[in-house]
Amino acid sequence: MTTSNLRAKAQLLHSLHTPGRPLALANGWDVASARIIEEAGAAAVATTSCGVAWSLGYADGDRLPRELALALIGRIASAVGVPVSADIESGFGDDAEGVAETVRGVIAAGAVGVNIEDALADGPEPLRTAAGQAERIAAARRAADEADVPLFINARTDVYLRAVGEPGERLGAALERAAAYIAAGASGIFVPGVTDLAVVAELAKNIAAPLNILTGPGGPSVAELAEAGAARVSIGGRMAEAAYGVVRHEAREFLADGTVTPAVDGLGYGDLQALFTR
């Protein structure tokens, strides 16, 4: 993909983040799921780190080798026509330069957005320091600028997801981190773990960038989150979990009873073939 095409897709991805009229992202984890999501009418496709890791034989949480992640991102980006945003966990790098190297690989693979989280999977603390994470985001932005692509950097803070600090202090902590990440070059802020619409509204009002909220079964709808000011709504690993749940249900029944009772209506062979014969 040419640099001009990447720039155009990145600009389109930026334009889709509108407070009150959010970008709804159903997260895929392989080429087939990405094509199904696109065929359903998605304006963009995002990957889910846990689904990607599981599909490639790894646990989630900075355990997937960078090269495997980049290879899959490239396969997805080449298979769909809409912009792709890649979940790169905490950047697949031990330091800021490692994150920059990952971002260069993401852009070369054809994706025009990334999620970068501040969680420490196996660290002594649940989160990186705000200053340390800001350095990693700044490195990602420099790498994108050098490639002349306005990459959408969705900076994720796990203050709520990891239940860091006292409950009454989390909003302030999330806002402080958001401000630091925006100053470092983030395009948007992702705060998973928040489902209280009043908190979403406070985040949206006080963050000077598009706000991404995670939802799922039993969580707020896209319309409710739009009213609260969200500019992006995603469902993370939910669909990967559901798909693997179907596999387990049918495998257990078949191996135990010799029968197959569909848990959901599956796609037919012809429907799936059609996704790859355009």
Side-chain angles (χ1 to χ4, degrees):
M1 191 179 298
T2 66
T3 300
S4 61
N5 286 339
L6 285 169
R7 279 200 301 268
K9 282 196 171 184
Q11 289 161 354
L12 173 57
L13 183 59
H14 278 266
S15 73
L16 295 171
H17 291 75
T18 306
R21 192 160 50 86
L23 170 63
L25 286 173
N27 304 75
W29 62 95
D30 62 8
V31 175
S33 61
R35 285 286 295 118
I36 290 166
I37 291 165
E38 181 186 38
E39 190 268 343
V45 169
T47 63
T48 167
S49 67
C50 60
V52 168
W54 297 332
S55 74
L56 295 173
Y58 290 83
D60 191 26
D62 293 322
R63 294 171 174 83
L64 179 66
R66 175 200 285 155
E67 61 272 18
L68 293 183
L70 293 176
L72 181 58
I73 291 165
R75 293 182 71 84
I76 289 174
S78 66
V80 301
V82 296
V84 173
S85 181
D87 187 335
I88 58 170
E89 304 192 32
S90 68
F92 299 124
D94 293 333
D95 54 19
E97 177 50 37
V99 176
E101 184 64 26
T102 298
V103 166
R104 287 190 281 269
V106 166
I107 293 171
V112 293
V114 292
N115 275 18
I116 304 177
E117 63 193 52
D118 59 9
L120 274 170
D122 298 310
E125 299 293 335
L127 305 180
R128 297 180 188 276
T129 66
Q133 183 66 4
E135 289 179 4
R136 296 167 75 84
I137 292 168
R141 176 55 65 204
R142 285 193 299 273
D145 289 346
E146 289 165 3
D148 197 22
V149 174
L151 186 74
F152 192 99
I153 299 176
N154 198 35
R156 170 176 146 177
T157 179
D158 283 358
V159 169
Y160 282 92
L161 192 65
R162 292 288 190 98
V164 176
E166 295 299 321
E169 299 172 348
R170 289 173 195 154
L171 177 60
L175 293 175
E176 287 179 10
R177 284 177 174 265
Y181 300 165
I182 292 166
S187 312
I189 299 295
F190 183 19
V191 189
V194 175
T195 56
D196 185 325
L197 292 171
V199 176
V200 173
E202 284 298 309
L203 290 166
K205 182 173 70 174
N206 291 288
I207 292 176
L211 173 66
N212 183 185
I213 295 295
L214 181 72
T215 194
S221 67
V222 172
E224 290 171 323
L225 290 167
E227 187 174 354
R232 172 170 170 161
V233 180
S234 48
I235 56 175
R238 168 57 199 166
M239 293 198 303
E241 293 166 351
Y244 292 133
V246 170
V247 173
R248 182 170 69 177
H249 169 85
E250 296 196 5
R252 285 180 172 178
E253 179 188 339
F254 179 65
L255 294 173
D257 304 328
T259 60
V260 179
T261 306
V264 298
D265 291 333
L267 286 177
Y269 177 86
D271 292 327
L272 287 164
Q273 280 287 91
L275 292 174
F276 300 99
T277 55
R278 57 180 179 173

